[in-house]
Amino acid sequence: MVIKSNDRGSNVSTPTKRIRWATQRVTGTNERHLRQSIKDRFQNRKTTSVEKKRQSGDTSHLDGIAEEPEDSEAGQDPESSGRRIYFNIPLPDSAKDADGHPIAHYERNKIRTAKYTPLSFVPKNLWFQFHNVANVYFLFVILLGIYWIFGNPNPALSSVPLIVILFLTAVKDGIEDWRRTVLDNELNNAPTHRLVDWNNVNTSEDNISSWRKIKKATTHSILSTYGAWSHKRSKKSANGKSYAERALDESRPSIDTRQSHRASVFSVQSGASEDGIKMTPVPSPQPETNPDARNDRLVVNDRPNTSFSFEHDDNLQSTNGHIPAPDKTGKDFVPKFYGSIVDPFKQVPGKARFKSDYWKSVQVGDFLRIYNEDQIPADVVVLSTSDPDGQCYVETKNLDGETNLKVRQALHCGRMMKHAKDCEKASFVIESEPPNVNLYQYSGAARWTQRDVRKPEEPGTEMAEPISINNLLLRGCSLRNTEWVLGVVVYTGRETKIMLNSGVTPSKRSRIAKDLNWYVIYNFVVLFFMCLVSGIVQGVTWAETATSSDFFEFGSIGGSSPLDGFITFWSCVILFQNLVPISLYISLEIIRTAQAFFIYSDTWMYYERLDYPCTPKSWNISDDLGQIEYIFSDKTGTLTQNVMEFKKCTINGVPYGEAYTEAQAGMQRRQGVDIEAEGAKVHKQIAEDRVRMLHDLRKMHTNPYLHDDELTFVAPDFVNDLGGVSGPEQKEANRNFMLALALCHTVITERTPGDPPKLEFKAQSPDEAALVATARDCGFTVMGRSNDGIILNILGKDEEFTVLNTLEFNSSRKRMSAIIRMPNGKIILYCKGADSVIYSRLRSGEQSHLRRITGEHLEMFAREGLRTLCIACKELGEEEYQTWNKEHDLAAAAIVDREDKLEAVSDAIERELTLLGGTAIEDRLQDGVPDAIALLGDAGIKLWVLTGDKVETAINIGFSCNLLNNDMDLIVFKIEDDSVESAEAELDGHLKTFGLSGSDDELQAARKDHRAPSPTHAIVIDGDSLKLVLKDELRQKFLLLCKQCKSVLCCRVSPSQKAAVVRMVKNGLDVMTLSVGDGANDVAMIQEADVGVGIAGEEGRQAVMSSDYAIGQFRYLQRLILVHGRWSYRRLAETIANFFYKNIVWTFALFWYQIYNNFDVTYLFDYTYILLVNLAFTSLPVIFMGILDQDVSDKVSLAVPQLYRRGIERKEWTSLKFWTYMLDGIYQSVICYYMGHFLFSPARFVTSSGLTINDRPRVGVFIACATIVVVDTYVLMNMYRLDWLILLLTAISILLIWFWTGVYTAFTSSLQFYKAAPQVFGQLSFWAMVLLTTAVCLLPRLAAKAFQKLYMPRDIDIIREQVRQGRFQHLDQYEAYVPPGKLPSAASSEVSEPVKANQRGGKALDEDERPMYPPSVANTGTTHNPRSQTGSDGTDYTGHRRSLDQPPRSSFDRPLRPSFDRMRDSMDRIRPSFEASNDFTSAALLTRLESSHSGTPTRRTLHGNSSLR
């Protein structure tokens, strides 16, 4: 590729080039399958241009950075490089077919997410429904019944249940799909502004198929007819409406009607007609013949008066004009010549205009103009924007869930394009990579021929400009704070990145649903044997001779015994069809829908601040919530608020800032300090210091942007030092530190008018916004960005700093840098990042004392639970920078491996740094997190924290939220040499502590053991060590070790490692897992877990969009799991068991009757009974059991979380329970049938009218009614909730059979069944038999339940008895959550298990009274603990002596710093800690960390394979 350099050879840098790196989203296996059909079209392509360039080796190198070959397109197949898009350039012959049409066919921009169309709905929906085996089975039964030889008395009526189920399911699917269709139509018909009346050579309208033309014509005619009818109807109906009602009916003003209100930065928009709206902020220019006039018009003297752009006195001169040479200081510099894709000599008709059109009409190669607040209709390369800098701002909430604005840049070569005529004159080609799923990377190039206006006769120079993701607007994003953007379309429809990434959350099935298939198969097996026995007996019976049948039967249907047996087999399939419960599936759908509605409607899980209820996104796994054994949680934004507040910093070895964090309070509580009194004292001191600091700040400078309530950094001594109290050296250090915070960022400034005005900072992370906000509060205010840099108000004086380059943060770099040209001409690189990364890049052999002191400060900050960063800088010489910048330009222009080259060239400049200091930001715990974790732990649930934060920060948060305590040995994994052998040796050593070796037998035993581990050990491991122990040969040992530990904290882990940990536990231990997170980096583990929960937090909604349940706060998790999860699991388990039971009773009653008629498939019951038994007679009780049954209230469920353990142990739904209910059903079927059988065996049933009622249909009424009463009463007896509603529903269900019998037999169409109701119901024997049958059937069950509750009570039985005794009445005074320490004791072996930690005898202390110790005194696997198996006094706090017997000291003889001195005193007392002895703390590690990146170039960092969060 040719890059035309500046003709004037300026050695001055180019302003602001931002390149963003980001990790590629890890796509789950299921998602890849979902998008496979889209990707298949790219798999058959030939070797890509990237591969060809790699293979050719025809590259030149400049200091290690590969330079692109000049003719990269020679000899390439157009498809091999992805795609080539031509603009106002005729297609070459190689790109056209024989008819002159383009060979390349691109996807339409019309999107269809709906499954069905009106024509395909019926066949397609039936096809999907008959993927259900039960539906296929019942269809087969109906088809069998069509043939009269199988004895179906009414084949049409037998299809009613299946038709009802298919219809209800189709209605549900149709409604869901209709909603998708409406959304599709709204999106496809959304307005955008497309250039029309010009020739887009990349597509051909003549290439539309005939079938599509017919469909379009039909659709247009239908829509036109419907629109005319709707308009006529609305016109009539609107006459009698009020203004408000008519306003609601009218559509909101569209883009077209709003354009008149837009004010351009250049001029006022001219009016246009609806058919041809100009849609340009300025009138299109008139045709010009003089190129110089065109060149003059390109001079821009005005800028938008916004907070993002500032007025300049200097005009932006023509790119071909005179460029002054810079002076030695580098102050007067201009951008280098980038060229322009507009051909000033091109003659055009001038007819092109921007017209409002539909999204679905957009095609590859179209020019689009997008206005503020509009959504992007396709993937668009930005050519120009309303901002002369070429910047625009987009919100990617619909794409990745993040609400922070992102900056995008226009191509330099297109920034002069403003009007439709410019689009006609632009002649260029875009080479683009093939469509791919990576949201954060794009490689392409714009190529054109640059004409010199001074030499029109010359052919021009070939030029190119690289296109990156920073120049691309993705479909689904929204334009913000930018008046307009002009761009060209490169991807449409299903080839856009959002559609390639639109794979839905992986389909999940609940554990009960998976087990259910096996039990249905068992029923099929039972049915098969029932039919087989019937067929064999019938065949053998007909084979016998010399029987009475010879005199009364006139031959068989089959004519032979084998054929008779075969016919009987299939006739029994029809007769016993109820054994396979087709209605079970639709019943479970109804129950789960109701459960999802209850979860959504629970006001105690409604987060008012965000107006966000608990939202179920997967309705079919609610029962899994009741079986969760392991929870995997992110920390930042999940356990914490993700609202960052700048609290402390260290500058030039001096600590600043006062704060009292939750982690610090927890540390003092473990020391036995009264944290309530101490907290009040500290908060009072902080309030006084805040007043003093605000006074000193305003005394130094009247800052109109300082708001008292927003000040989080309380450090009056900082203000004094900034004023020079401690000398000029510290004053300059403080100033440089604040300059670094104010300059090294990518924050967007928004100004809110007012008195005083207010500045808001929109950043890509809350940390960055907190840093810039603190700089603002201290007088270093970011006012906005200018053409080339940033405007700062420094203590009342405006100064402009030129941003030469911004090397942005990503998870592998763990740092970001900004190269700034200062007002005095110096070039300074500011860098901020993780402490280990910055320390490894410091200048070797310098600042050793400062490194040690800063490391100690950062360690103390981390112990307080604060998030730390290091700040460093480096002064660059002009020649050094220019040499590096050339390499950077080459790397930025590369199409092949651009990201890797940029990272390498950035790494080269970020070395030999000078340390400035460090920052500490607090991310507070969410409300109720410690109590929620404690409650979940009491329920037997194990919580693992998977975070990207530092180890020290994670440990302190662990202590703050009750995950860790001083009774635990902390097993710290830190494999220094990164070898598998070392990791295995350490694993073996720790396993020996528990008497384990990591064998398969131990793993099988661990799978069966669901008890919570003893609270004696916890594991802390970082990402590098985790990578080793997750290898195949070590994974099992690591899993067994974690199984023995109460808590596991994985720090510095990447998203893929989070998912790998979840997968290891889920598959290795065969347990139910739940993952909870709030950010895009949590999506992988959310989708990997059995249940994924997303928290609607500050990091956007990507986790929410990928989750099964979405909540507003972590504390709602306890109610979701312990209340709704437990209820749902118990209800569904009981419902399914009772469903199988009732079908067994009914079907076997029919089977026993066959014994007495030689299994000739005679129907004992009327056929309508067989059809309605599951549909009406027994459906209500069992369905409402699954919806409304409740053993204890929600408050009691939270008060006694141990009740949840039955779900963990999966005791509510077992094979034993299934077969118990089946056998109980068989027993009751025997009683139901033989009570009627023996009642009629004397054969004396003669009514008063002289008619007998001992015929088969009337005998069937006796047995059927008794069976229904038994079944519904049995279901009622298995319920815990016996209120009036349940009793009413059960009574209605029982009475339905009486109602149906009375109505149906009142008509002569019932034939032999006519008048059966009054004849049977009028007999006293009928009522006596029903009552007696019910008693005999239910008595064994009743006796067994009484025995179990009296002599073998479960936890729930004891708790229910305590509820009746009034022991939980105190809970009525609380609303939703049980306060800590108010839990009643339960008298069950499972509930009241003694605490194992208190084994030394003596009086057990309450949790609040037990002495607490700081985390550094907590034991590790290498220290002693009297409660552990090693037997030392490591946790006896009084046994420790202070480090070297040093007295408490103040901080460097400076004025009193209460917060720092409190921590220093604590640190002095606990210095001989496990961290110091194991090189675990930041100070111990950083003190010996040499500047590994200041020598030979390397890209490896200490935690190079993990992400920060």
Side-chain angles (χ1 to χ4, degrees), residues 219-406:
T219 303
H220 289 164
S221 61
I222 293 175
L223 291 178
S224 300
T225 305
Y226 178 76
W229 176 77
S230 300
H231 177 71
K232 184 177 180 181
R233 186 178 178 186
S234 62
K235 199 171 182 181
K236 291 181 179 179
S237 60
N239 293 333
K241 293 186 178 182
S242 65
Y243 172 80
E245 291 172 332
R246 291 197 304 272
L248 290 175
D249 291 337
E250 295 172 0
S251 60
R252 199 178 70 172
S254 67
I255 266 292
D256 307 335
T257 60
R258 286 190 282 117
Q259 286 307 310
S260 59
H261 301 291
R262 293 186 188 275
S264 165
V265 67
F266 299 104
S267 63
V268 180
Q269 177 185 333
S270 61
S273 64
E274 178 64 23
D275 294 334
I277 303 173
K278 291 288 185 182
M279 289 303 164
T280 54
V282 295
S284 297
Q286 299 299 322
E288 298 168 0
T289 56
N290 185 5
D292 293 331
R294 166 73 178 176
N295 198 42
D296 293 338
R297 189 177 59 80
L298 294 179
V299 178
V300 179
N301 297 319
D302 299 320
R303 298 181 54 78
N305 188 16
T306 68
S307 60
F308 305 104
S309 307
F310 288 82
E311 301 293 338
H312 271 262
D313 297 331
D314 299 332
N315 297 337
L316 180 63
Q317 298 189 16
S318 168
T319 54
N320 287 313
H322 175 66
I323 301 176
D327 62 10
K328 294 182 181 180
T329 64
K331 291 182 180 180
D332 300 327
F333 64 92
V334 295
K336 64 181 175 185
F337 177 57
Y338 287 98
S340 175
I341 56 177
V342 178
D343 186 353
F345 303 104
K346 188 180 181 71
Q347 299 297 322
V348 295
K351 296 181 179 180
R353 69 193 190 283
F354 285 100
K355 179 182 177 182
S356 179
D357 206 342
Y358 296 130
W359 276 29
K360 63 184 180 183
S361 302
V362 172
Q363 298 174 321
V364 171
D366 277 346
F367 286 89
L368 298 181
R369 189 185 293 280
I370 303 163
Y371 289 97
N372 191 35
E373 306 295 331
D374 286 355
Q375 281 198 9
I376 314 301
D379 289 355
V380 175
V381 172
V382 183
L383 296 180
S384 65
T385 72
S386 57
D387 192 287
D389 296 335
Q391 293 182 354
C392 63
Y393 305 93
V394 293
E395 183 182 73
T396 60
K397 181 170 60 178
N398 293 337
L399 196 65
D400 56 15
E402 296 182 4
T403 55
N404 301 309
L405 299 184
K406 312 294 191 302

Side-chain angles (χ1 to χ4, degrees), residues 1113-1128:
Q1113 292 275 274
F1114 180 86
R1115 66 177 183 268
Y1116 300 145
L1117 199 62
Q1118 64 180 358
R1119 188 172 180 86
L1120 179 65
I1121 294 176
L1122 301 183
V1123 177
H1124 293 283
R1126 195 182 68 83
W1127 281 349
S1128 298

Side-chain angles (χ1 to χ4, degrees), residues 331-554:
K331 291 182 180 180
D332 300 327
F333 64 92
V334 295
K336 64 181 175 185
F337 177 57
Y338 287 98
S340 175
I341 56 177
V342 178
D343 186 353
F345 303 104
K346 188 180 181 71
Q347 299 297 322
V348 295
K351 296 181 179 180
R353 69 193 190 283
F354 285 100
K355 179 182 177 182
S356 179
D357 206 342
Y358 296 130
W359 276 29
K360 63 184 180 183
S361 302
V362 172
Q363 298 174 321
V364 171
D366 277 346
F367 286 89
L368 298 181
R369 189 185 293 280
I370 303 163
Y371 289 97
N372 191 35
E373 306 295 331
D374 286 355
Q375 281 198 9
I376 314 301
D379 289 355
V380 175
V381 172
V382 183
L383 296 180
S384 65
T385 72
S386 57
D387 192 287
D389 296 335
Q391 293 182 354
C392 63
Y393 305 93
V394 293
E395 183 182 73
T396 60
K397 181 170 60 178
N398 293 337
L399 196 65
D400 56 15
E402 296 182 4
T403 55
N404 301 309
L405 299 184
K406 312 294 191 302
V407 182
R408 294 293 181 261
Q409 300 283 340
L411 296 180
H412 290 89
C413 59
R415 293 186 182 181
M416 296 303 176
M417 298 179 63
K418 308 294 179 186
H419 314 286
K421 192 166 185 179
D422 296 335
C423 300
E424 286 186 289
K425 288 192 171 187
S427 300
F428 61 103
V429 177
I430 287 183
E431 293 180 354
S432 172
E433 66 181 5
N436 61 72
V437 298
N438 193 338
L439 294 173
Y440 307 114
Q441 186 174 350
Y442 175 78
S443 293
R447 301 182 183 278
W448 73 99
T449 301
Q450 182 64 42
R451 305 285 298 276
D452 192 341
V453 295
R454 295 169 298 181
K455 301 176 182 179
E457 66 282 355
E458 293 187 359
T461 305
E462 295 296 325
M463 295 192 68
E465 181 176 348
I467 306 173
S468 70
I469 191 65
N470 283 335
N471 310 117
L472 193 68
L473 302 182
L474 301 182
R475 176 187 172 113
C477 300
S478 299
L479 191 65
R480 295 284 188 263
N481 298 337
T482 307
E483 290 190 29
W484 55 264
V485 162
L486 182 64
V488 291
V489 178
V490 290
Y491 300 133
T492 52
R494 296 188 179 275
E495 293 179 341
T496 57
K497 290 184 179 290
I498 189 174
M499 294 306 298
L500 291 175
N501 280 274
S502 63
V504 296
T505 302
S507 178
K508 297 180 180 179
R509 297 181 62 204
S510 67
R511 181 181 290 272
I512 287 184
K514 296 173 185 176
D515 295 340
L516 185 60
N517 288 337
W518 286 105
Y519 297 115
V520 171
I521 292 174
Y522 296 155
N523 275 25
F524 269 114
V525 173
V526 174
L527 175 64
F528 171 78
F529 281 106
M530 292 172 66
C531 297
L532 183 63
V533 169
S534 300
I536 292 175
V537 173
Q538 173 70 357
V540 171
T541 301
W542 278 103
E544 294 179 354
T545 57
T547 62
S548 60
S549 61
D550 294 340
F551 301 97
F552 296 100
E553 298 292 345
F554 299 94

Side-chain angles (χ1 to χ4, degrees), residues 116 593 611 656 755 860 972 987 999 1019 1040 1056 1088 1134 1146 1152 1188 1268 1395 1400 1407 1411 1449 1500 1509:
Y116 312 108
T593 301
D611 188 25
Y656 296 105
D755 189 18
M860 284 189 294
V972 181
L987 279 173
S999 64
I1019 287 182
L1040 286 172
S1056 60
E1088 182 63 41
E1134 201 65 33
W1146 181 264
W1152 305 133
L1188 298 177
I1268 295 302
V1395 180
R1400 293 181 297 176
E1407 188 66 25
R1449 56 184 177 180
R1500 183 182 179 276
R1509 284 169 44 211

